[in-house]
Amino acid sequence: MGYFSVENLSISFGGIKAVDNISFSVEKNEIFSIIGPNGSGKTTIFNLISGIYKPDDGAVIMEGENLVGKTPDRIAKKGIARTFQNIELFANATVMDNLMLGRHIHMNTGIFTGAFMFGKRSPAAREEVEHREKVEKIIDFLELQSVRDQFVGSLAYGKRKLVEVGRALALEPKVMLLDEPSAGMNTEEKDDLTIWIKDIREDYQMTILLIEHDMNMIMGISDRVFAMQQGKKITLGPPQEVQKHPEVIKAYLGEEGIS
Amino acid sequence: MDMKRSYYEDIELFKSGVILFWTIVFLLVLFTFPLYMSDYALYLLNLIMVYVIVSVGLNILVGSTGQISLGHAGFFAIGAYATVLLMTNLQIPFFIAIIAAAFIAAFFGFILGLPALRLEGPYLTIATLAFGLAIMHVIGHTEFFGGRQGLMAPPLDLGIPQLGWSFVLSSETSKYYLVLIITILMVLFAINILKTKAGRAFVAIRDSDIAAEVIGINLTMYKTLSFAVSAFYAGIGGGLFAFVLGFFDPFTFNLILSIIFIVMIVVGGLGSVMGSITGAALITYLMYDLFKNVNEAPYVGPLFVAFSERWMTITGMDNFNYIALGLVMIGIMLFEPLGMFGAWIRIKKYWKTWPF
Ligand SMILES: Nc1ncnc2c1ncn2[C@@H]1O[C@H](COP(=O)(O)OP(=O)(O)OP(=O)(O)O)[C@@H](O)[C@H]1O
Ligand SMILES: [Mg+2]
């Protein structure tokens, strides 16, 4: 058993088995990619892991503990952070505040301590400054300095995707789930993102689960690739092998073919 | 080089010297009002400040967390009744009584917040509405609370009379200073709360509760906390209101009042402390002064009176009050959906680039 694993995970929606008896095990510090045609159940796996859906059957195990049945906020506190395919940011808050929200689980200021934030030396102000420093590092790392104080609702799509990655990073999770982070980005932005994901793995000692449609990116950064179709596993292995797997090719030929 | 300082600037109460300067000027003006204002004007200002406290709290619930309450008159009533009853029945000193009353209101807020986890949107609003009405009727039918006759506020003694140390505020001026200082404090607390962990969590829940949850925000805790905080504010406001009025009955705290609280924050600007303040000030002034005296206005006044007597119910002039309030609200929604605060932001932007 690896560092993080899902075991026999299943869920159906009105008779359709969106995720059907899926098992895999991820090593610490690995970049583990999940691919599959549209509607194959990739996002649903993330929703099961992060506690948004409760599986009909199966387990999500991290460091020996089963996370199934815990609420999403408990799972976040256990060290799992994620981004969403369709971006779930706090649109009427600034980039800074979105990232500060990523620090939520690491902060202790209660409502009374917060209310008495008078002067630099108050406990609330000290904690704010301490966490702002951490967030500022993320802002520098993802090159968000220019949009630091803008409302995320007003940002370009690619930038918003990046803010979401930053927010997940701010949680300092052990495992990060990225759901199509490069969707809607141009080539240049995608190249940057590829480098950053590698850096995140190195610098933050992170374990990353990645859902992607961009094959170049998948081939470039994955340690292993898990291919699935209609809720079921096709194959699991190193990217080059998975890419050549006849059933994977077949599954993708239905769409646009694999590049 | 001095990195730390620059991060602190983000959260400083006064972001620039200019803001600090104007805030001080504004406060100085507020502190000099009693020197040249009539008692009636001070009474009006006291009312405004009481409503400012309630609005600031309500805006934390509605504007920041995105939960609508039509029951805030209930918390307001709890604040007023609990403060007065604690003082008269248990001889508890004023400051302790009003804080205790606010905590009692907050407790009720917490209880009312619990269904918020299951009920969404309009259903929750109806639950709060029922709560507000229930409070009014329970008070009205209970002898202990003074029943329909209402209650008289005791002398406003800031000391501890049991220890022979009394400090009774009887003049409108002295009450004004008390209310002013408490209002300033409550406003500052709100600004700080919204800039720290809890305030950000409130906004997060409003914008995307699913994202809020996956970053580790406990929805149960923060939704009920938001109710409790805003009820606490209504409780403090209610405690002061009791002494501003001197006498009150259950019908003071009717559904219309809850709606007027909502009008204040919508007109002022949802989610903004400055908006709550301006909204409360404007609406209170319109309601208690301008619209009340509209019948004395030259030409228009008699016309209104005639119209009212001919076409409306006995409380004719009050009808105009509500109609006018409704029109103000519709006007704001049509022309400036972000409220007066939104207008202010636009004006600021305009002047920033003027004359280029
Ligand atoms: N809440 C839900 N209710 C009903 N059906 C759902 C729900 N969530 C997912 N599904 C269904 O489960 C299947 C898998 O969806 P999922 O979003 O996991 O696919 P995906 O692999 O992420 O696809 P894409 O590449 O388009 O993002 C789809 O048929 C989808 O309609
Ligand atoms: Mg998906």
Side-chain angles (χ1 to χ4, degrees):
Chain A
M1 210 215 297
Y3 176 69
F4 174 89
S5 59
V6 306
E7 292 169 9
N8 310 317
L9 216 51
S10 300
I11 190 171
S12 26
F13 298 107
I16 297 165
K17 288 199 164 172
V19 171
D20 189 359
N21 202 21
I22 292 286
S23 302
F24 56 75
S25 175
V26 183
E27 298 302 325
K28 191 166 184 180
N29 221 357
E30 184 177 6
I31 296 182
F32 184 93
S33 297
I34 301 175
I35 62 167
N38 290 117
S40 56
K42 306 180 296 293
T43 299
T44 306
I45 291 182
F46 275 14
N47 286 339
L48 289 167
I49 294 174
S50 53
I52 292 170
Y53 298 155
K54 209 170 160 292
D56 298 337
D57 198 15
V60 176
I61 313 257
M62 188 167 79
E63 295 177 319
E65 189 185 357
N66 189 356
L67 302 180
V68 168
K70 292 196 192 319
T71 52
D73 59 298
R74 299 281 310 145
I75 290 171
K77 282 167 197 142
K78 288 283 170 196
I80 297 182
R82 71 171 287 182
T83 66
F84 292 84
Q85 184 171 352
N86 297 318
I87 306 187
E88 288 284 350
L89 283 168
F90 309 115
N92 300 304
T94 60
V95 170
M96 185 69 189
D97 279 340
N98 269 269
L99 297 186
M100 280 300 280
L101 272 159
R103 301 298 304 165
H104 181 85
I105 55 174
H106 299 289
M107 299 184 80
N108 300 314
T109 304
I111 197 120
F112 289 107
T113 327
F116 282 90
M117 188 169 70
F118 295 117
K120 268 184 226 196
R121 290 208 180 72
S122 61
R126 283 183 192 207
E127 193 181 47
E128 277 293 311
V129 169
E130 179 194 323
H131 289 270
R132 269 160 201 275
E133 275 170 8
K134 294 221 159 101
V135 163
E136 209 72 36
K137 289 206 181 92
I138 295 172
I139 287 179
D140 284 339
F141 172 58
L142 296 175
E143 294 172 12
L144 292 167
Q145 202 63 51
S146 60
V147 293
R148 185 179 182 275
D149 294 318
Q150 284 184 31
F151 288 97
V152 294
S154 66
L155 298 182
Y157 193 80
K159 274 272 186 281
R160 275 189 276 161
K161 280 258 164 194
L162 218 49
V163 174
E164 221 190 359
V165 172
R167 186 181 66 192
L169 202 51
L171 269 82
E172 291 180 10
K174 294 170 183 158
V175 176
M176 198 147 127
L177 317 175
L178 301 175
D179 196 346
E180 301 193 21
S182 81
M185 287 186 173
N186 61 35
T187 325
E188 197 184 322
E189 287 173 322
K190 275 185 188 176
D191 290 345
D192 282 343
L193 182 68
T194 309
I195 295 168
W196 284 328
I197 292 177
K198 283 182 182 167
D199 284 349
I200 290 171
R201 183 248 294 267
E202 303 300 328
D203 299 353
Y204 295 83
Q205 292 300 302
M206 197 91 70
T207 305
I208 297 171
L209 272 68
L210 174 70
I211 296 176
E212 256 303 333
H213 279 300
D214 186 290
M215 261 317 186
N216 283 330
M217 192 165 166
I218 291 283
M219 300 307 292
I221 60 175
S222 315
D223 295 313
R224 286 187 300 156
V225 176
F226 182 92
M228 62 185 295
Q229 185 182 20
Q230 290 177 4
K232 292 196 185 64
K233 169 181 171 179
I234 302 177
T235 184
L236 167 66
Q240 286 75 14
E241 275 177 33
V242 171
Q243 194 186 24
K244 291 194 200 97
H245 194 283
E247 278 191 61
V248 173
I249 295 172
K250 212 174 89 191
Y252 272 87
L253 276 181
E255 298 187 344
E256 70 238 35
I258 206 158
S259 49
Chain B
M1 20 148 232
D2 194 2
M3 291 294 271
K4 263 210 155 106
R5 219 191 97 65
S6 72
Y7 298 142
Y8 179 67
E9 273 170 5
D10 279 353
I11 51 169
E12 251 174 335
L13 213 42
F14 306 105
K15 283 227 168 71
S16 70
V18 183
I19 297 177
L20 178 64
F21 173 78
W22 285 112
T23 310
I24 289 174
V25 169
F26 180 62
L27 289 181
L28 283 180
V29 170
L30 284 182
F31 273 94
T32 56
F33 272 167
L35 299 180
Y36 44 83
M37 287 225 172
S38 69
D39 270 4
Y40 175 72
L42 290 180
Y43 161 77
L44 204 61
L45 283 168
N46 283 340
L47 274 181
I48 286 179
M49 290 190 289
V50 164
Y51 288 139
V52 163
I53 295 175
V54 180
S55 302
V56 166
L58 183 63
N59 219 338
I60 291 178
L61 181 70
V62 180
S64 300
T65 322
Q67 298 174 304
I68 297 174
S69 164
L70 280 181
H72 258 55
F75 301 123
F76 194 53
I78 291 171
Y81 276 87
T83 306
V84 166
L85 291 172
L86 285 173
M87 286 176 74
T88 50
N89 288 4
L90 300 177
Q91 273 72 50
I92 292 176
F94 168 75
F95 283 113
I96 299 175
I98 192 170
I99 289 171
F103 273 108
I104 295 171
F107 174 74
F108 276 91
F110 169 78
I111 300 287
L112 187 59
L114 289 176
L117 308 164
R118 306 245 174 278
L119 301 178
E120 293 266 317
Y123 302 102
L124 175 65
T125 308
I126 288 170
T128 61
L129 189 151
F131 164 80
L133 291 176
I135 290 289
M136 184 179 87
H137 285 286
V138 167
I139 290 173
H141 290 278
T142 312
E143 209 49 55
F144 177 71
F145 297 126
R148 287 161 178 277
Q149 271 74 54
L151 279 186
M152 190 80 100
L156 182 48
D157 190 341
L158 300 189
I160 307 169
Q162 290 92 328
L163 301 181
W165 176 51
S166 265
F167 188 73
V168 179
L169 304 185
S170 47
S171 68
E172 210 61 55
T173 301
S174 55
K175 278 185 201 166
Y176 171 81
Y177 282 119
L178 175 75
V179 178
L180 177 60
I181 288 166
I182 294 179
T183 307
I184 291 172
L185 276 177
M186 295 307 282
V187 167
L188 291 179
F189 288 151
I191 292 173
N192 282 340
I193 287 171
L194 290 173
K195 271 196 295 202
T196 47
K197 185 183 177 187
R200 273 192 298 264
F202 293 153
V203 171
I205 291 172
R206 178 195 65 194
D207 280 5
S208 165
D209 53 358
I210 196 132
E213 249 188 318
V214 303
I215 59 165
I217 292 171
N218 183 332
L219 292 187
T220 314
M221 184 179 151
Y222 281 94
K223 279 188 174 180
T224 49
L225 183 64
S226 172
F227 260 102
V229 170
S230 100
F232 185 93
Y233 270 80
I236 294 279
L240 294 174
F241 185 66
F243 292 96
V244 172
L245 289 193
F247 168 81
F248 50 95
D249 63 33
F251 309 104
T252 318
F253 306 94
N254 57 14
L255 175 61
I256 296 284
L257 186 61
S258 291
I259 295 173
I260 287 168
F261 289 153
I262 293 283
V263 174
M264 287 175 180
I265 60 172
V266 170
V267 166
L270 287 174
S272 136
V273 174
M274 289 329 273
S276 316
I277 297 171
T278 45
L282 176 75
I283 298 297
T284 312
Y285 170 69
L286 291 182
M287 267 181 41
Y288 284 85
D289 202 60
L290 194 65
F291 293 164
K292 263 230 159 90
N293 302 326
V294 76
N295 48 342
E296 283 158 26
Y299 308 114
V300 228
L303 203 75
F304 273 131
V305 173
F307 184 86
S308 165
E309 275 167 4
R310 176 75 182 79
W311 299 102
M312 292 178 134
T313 51
I314 329 159
T315 54
M317 287 321 289
D318 261 359
N319 288 335
F320 280 118
N321 209 339
Y322 295 131
I323 291 171
L325 273 189
L327 290 178
V328 168
M329 182 139 156
I330 291 170
I332 289 276
M333 298 314 285
L334 278 181
F335 299 110
E336 196 56 69
L338 293 178
M340 288 159 70
F341 184 69
W344 159 245
I345 295 281
R346 269 202 324 188
I347 292 167
K348 223 167 59 173
K349 265 197 193 137
Y350 177 79
W351 286 107
K352 227 178 219 168
T353 50
W354 190 86
F356 304 102

